[in-house]
Amino acid sequence: MAGVSLKCGDCGALLKSVQEAQDHAELTSHSNFSESTEAVLNLVCATCGKPCRSKTESDLHTKRTGHTEFADKTAEVTKPISLEVPKAAAMDIDEPAAADASTTSQPEEMVAPEVDKKILDELEAMGFPTARATRALHYSGDVICCNASLEAAVNWVVEHENDPDIDEMPMVSINSKVEAPKPSLTPEEMKQKAQELRYGALKCISKLHCLHFVIATWPVERIRIGKELLEAKRIEEQNERKRFVFICLYSSVVFHRTRTLLMALRKAEKDEEKRAREKIRQKLEEDKAERRRKLGLPPEDPATVKPSAPVVEEKKSMLPVRPATKQEQMRECLRSLKQSHKDDDAKVKRAFQTLLTYIGNVAKNPSEEKFRKIRLNNQTFQDRVGSLQGGIGFLELCGFEKIEGDEFLFLARDKVDMAVLNSAGSELTSAINNPFFGVL
C-alpha cells in the first residue's frame, strides 16, 4: 500500500505533504522522515465544524469549547502522498487570465464577502471602519487557535494601512464558491508568515495547558492556602495569649518582690533608728554618771528610779532628731521630681539619665572644668533638667554652686567628693531601673 503521510522519526508527528515536512524540519531541526500508511486524522467537530488533525488537538478543542462529538472524515480525504517537491505550474499564472476572460464574457453580480460577525463587531468596537475591518477579515484568512482571527486581522490592517484601497469594501462574485484571491506574497514572506502562525499556535497551546493546569489545581490550592492561613492565625493568637499571661505573671512577681523589698527596707530603717536611740540613751546615762562622780555624789541606784510616763515622754522629746543624710535628701529630691511630673514618664526618665550623665562625667574626669561647669540658660539643659522641679537642687546636693550672678552651676575641684558622686549615681540608677520609684 502506498504511503499516505510522512512520519517524523524524531517526534512521531504525521504530516500530509512534503511541504509540511520541510516546514516541520525548519521549525524543529528534525530530519528523519519516512513514508507511513497511517493517515493524518481529519476529525470535524459536529457542533462548530472545526477540523482537528490529531486526538490531542480534538481533546484541546473539547476542553476549550465543551464540544465532544467529532465526525471522522479521514477516509474521504486520504490519498497517496507524492514525494516530489511541489513547483509552481504555469497554469497557476494563466488561471487569472482565464478567469478574467470568463468574467469579461458574462458580468457577474458582486457582493461583500461573508465574515465572522462577532470578530467584525469587535474590530468596529476597537475603532476600525466597517469596510477596513471586513477587508482585513477577508484577506487575513482562518487560523486554528482562539482569538487568532482577530489578531491576524489587526496585523493585516497594520501591514496594509498605506494601501490606497484600504477603506474600500471588498467585493466577490455571488456565485463564486472559491475564496477571493489574497494579496500575493513572495515565497520568503509566505514561509515567514507560516512560521509565525505555527509559533503562535504553539504558544497558544502552551498557554492553554498552563490555564488548564491552574484551573484543575486551583480548588486544591485554595483549600491548602486557607488551611495554612487558619493555622497561622491560630498560632499567632496562641502566642499572643502566652505573651499576655507571661506579662501578667512577670508584673505580679515584680510587684510582690518590690513590695517585699520596700517592707524590708522600712524594717531595716526602723531597726537602725531604734539602735541609734539606744546608743544615745546609753551615752546620756554615762555622761550623767560621770557628772555625779565628778561632783562627788554617790552613784544613782537604779532601783530607786521609777520612770513614769511623763518622764519617758520628756526623755523622748529631749532625744535629738537624726538629721537626714545627703543620700536621703537626694532620694527625696528625685522622688519630688518624679511626683511633680508623674504624667510624663519619658520626660522624667530623660531628666534622670541627663543627671546621671553629668555626675558620671565629673566622676570620670574630675580635673576637666568643662564637666564641672554648667550654663543655666542653656536651652537643652533647661528642657531636660533646669525646668523640672528638683533638677537643680539635686546638682546642688552633689556640690554644685551657682556663680556669676546665677548664670552657671560650678563644682570646684577641691569640693569634688567621690563618695557623694557615687551615692548620687546609685540613687539615679535605682530611680531609672525601679518602675515603682516615687509611687509610694
Side-chain angles (χ1 to χ4, degrees):
M1 180 179 179
V4 294
S5 65
L6 291 175
K7 185 174 184 179
C8 178
D10 296 323
C11 63
L14 294 176
L15 307 165
K16 288 183 177 181
S17 63
V18 176
Q19 183 63 38
E20 287 189 4
Q22 289 178 351
D23 295 339
H24 181 75
E26 292 178 0
L27 184 63
T28 63
S29 299
H30 298 167
S31 58
N32 185 15
F33 298 93
S34 61
E35 285 188 77
S36 175
T37 57
E38 184 180 354
V40 179
L41 297 180
N42 184 20
L43 304 176
V44 180
C45 179
T47 305
C48 64
K50 174 178 171 54
C52 299
R53 298 183 51 170
S54 64
K55 190 67 171 61
T56 303
E57 189 173 344
S58 65
D59 292 341
L60 287 175
H61 182 72
T62 300
K63 290 181 180 179
R64 181 172 62 84
T65 62
H67 301 165
T68 57
E69 297 182 2
F70 293 88
D72 191 354
K73 297 183 180 181
T74 305
E76 298 177 7
V77 297
T78 301
K79 59 181 179 178
I81 190 170
S82 175
L83 299 180
E84 296 181 0
V85 179
K87 297 182 180 179
M91 59 179 298
D92 295 340
I93 303 176
D94 297 333
E95 283 179 0
D100 293 342
S102 63
T103 54
T104 55
S105 61
Q106 182 179 0
E108 296 183 1
E109 184 179 357
M110 306 297 289
V111 295
E114 294 184 1
V115 294
D116 192 324
K117 298 298 183 182
K118 183 178 180 181
I119 302 179
L120 180 63
D121 294 339
E122 293 181 3
L123 289 173
E124 291 178 350
M126 294 170 63
F128 294 106
T130 304
R132 183 177 297 191
T134 305
R135 179 176 289 271
L137 288 175
H138 177 64
Y139 288 118
S140 61
D142 297 330
V143 290
I144 297 176
C145 56
C146 63
N147 291 335
S149 294
L150 177 62
E151 296 177 3
V154 173
N155 292 335
W156 190 92
V157 171
V158 174
E159 293 175 359
H160 298 81
E161 62 180 353
N162 296 324
D163 293 353
D165 57 347
I166 185 68
D167 289 324
E168 295 181 5
M169 179 67 72
M171 307 299 291
V172 296
S173 175
I174 192 172
N175 298 323
S176 176
K177 296 182 180 180
V178 183
E179 188 179 279
K182 300 180 182 180
S184 59
L185 298 174
T186 62
E188 291 78 9
E189 291 177 345
M190 293 178 64
K191 186 182 294 184
Q192 183 179 1
K193 192 70 176 177
Q195 209 167 22
E196 290 177 357
L197 290 175
R198 289 189 185 90
Y199 279 126
L202 291 175
K203 187 175 180 181
C204 185
I205 292 172
S206 177
K207 289 182 178 179
L208 284 174
H209 277 297
C210 294
L211 181 60
H212 293 153
F213 175 78
V214 171
I215 292 174
T217 58
W218 169 240
V220 179
E221 287 295 315
R222 183 175 60 183
I223 294 173
R224 183 184 63 81
I225 293 173
K227 289 182 178 179
E228 291 180 355
L229 290 176
L230 289 176
E231 182 64 18
K233 184 177 180 181
R234 185 187 65 79
I235 294 174
E236 180 65 22
E237 291 177 352
Q238 184 178 1
N239 293 336
E240 188 68 24
R241 287 194 296 269
K242 289 181 179 179
R243 284 195 292 268
F244 178 75
V245 172
F246 174 77
I247 292 173
C248 292
L249 292 176
Y250 179 76
S251 301
S252 177
V253 171
V254 171
F255 174 76
H256 286 295
R257 289 186 178 180
T258 305
R259 186 176 64 177
T260 304
L261 180 61
L262 291 175
M263 293 175 64
L265 290 175
R266 289 180 180 177
K267 184 177 180 182
E269 290 180 355
K270 290 181 179 179
D271 294 341
E272 182 67 23
E273 185 179 356
K274 185 176 180 180
R275 287 193 295 268
R277 290 177 179 177
E278 183 64 26
K279 288 181 180 180
I280 293 173
R281 189 187 64 79
Q282 293 178 0
K283 183 65 175 175
L284 291 175
E285 292 292 339
E286 292 176 358
D287 292 344
K288 184 178 179 181
E290 182 65 23
R291 287 196 299 270
R292 289 180 66 87
R293 185 180 61 81
K294 289 182 178 180
L295 293 174
L297 297 175
E300 187 177 7
D301 188 3
T304 59
V305 179
K306 296 181 180 179
S308 59
V311 175
V312 174
E313 290 297 331
E314 185 180 357
K315 287 185 177 181
K316 283 187 177 181
S317 62
M318 293 176 62
L319 289 176
V321 179
R322 179 175 64 89
T325 62
K326 186 169 289 188
Q327 186 173 0
E328 292 174 344
Q329 294 176 4
M330 292 179 182
R331 187 183 306 123
E332 184 62 29
C333 188
L334 295 178
R335 185 180 292 109
S336 175
L337 190 150
K338 176 72 177 288
Q339 292 178 351
S340 300
H341 305 278
K342 58 183 178 181
D343 295 333
D344 195 349
D345 292 338
K347 189 173 184 180
V348 172
K349 188 173 182 180
R350 185 177 60 182
F352 288 168
Q353 291 174 345
T354 304
L355 291 171
L356 184 61
T357 301
Y358 283 135
I359 299 304
N361 289 336
V362 175
K364 294 176 182 178
N365 306 280
S367 301
E368 295 289 340
E369 184 177 347
K370 63 180 180 179
F371 296 127
R372 294 184 284 105
K373 191 173 184 179
I374 303 172
R375 183 184 295 274
L376 290 174
N377 59 2
N378 183 279
Q379 188 61 38
T380 303
F381 174 78
Q382 286 294 325
D383 293 340
R384 291 175 173 266
V385 177
S387 61
L388 276 67
Q389 179 181 352
I392 297 178
F394 183 86
L395 292 174
E396 290 177 344
L397 290 173
C398 296
F400 284 87
E401 298 177 352
K402 293 182 180 180
I403 61 172
E404 299 181 9
D406 295 343
E407 185 178 356
F408 291 95
L409 277 176
F410 182 70
L411 177 59
R413 178 65 183 87
D414 55 349
K415 293 184 178 181
V416 175
D417 190 343
M418 298 304 295
V420 174
L421 295 179
N422 290 333
S423 299
S426 300
E427 293 298 329
L428 286 170
T429 303
S430 176
I432 293 173
N433 297 329
N434 186 2
F436 299 98
F437 179 80
V439 175
L440 301 176

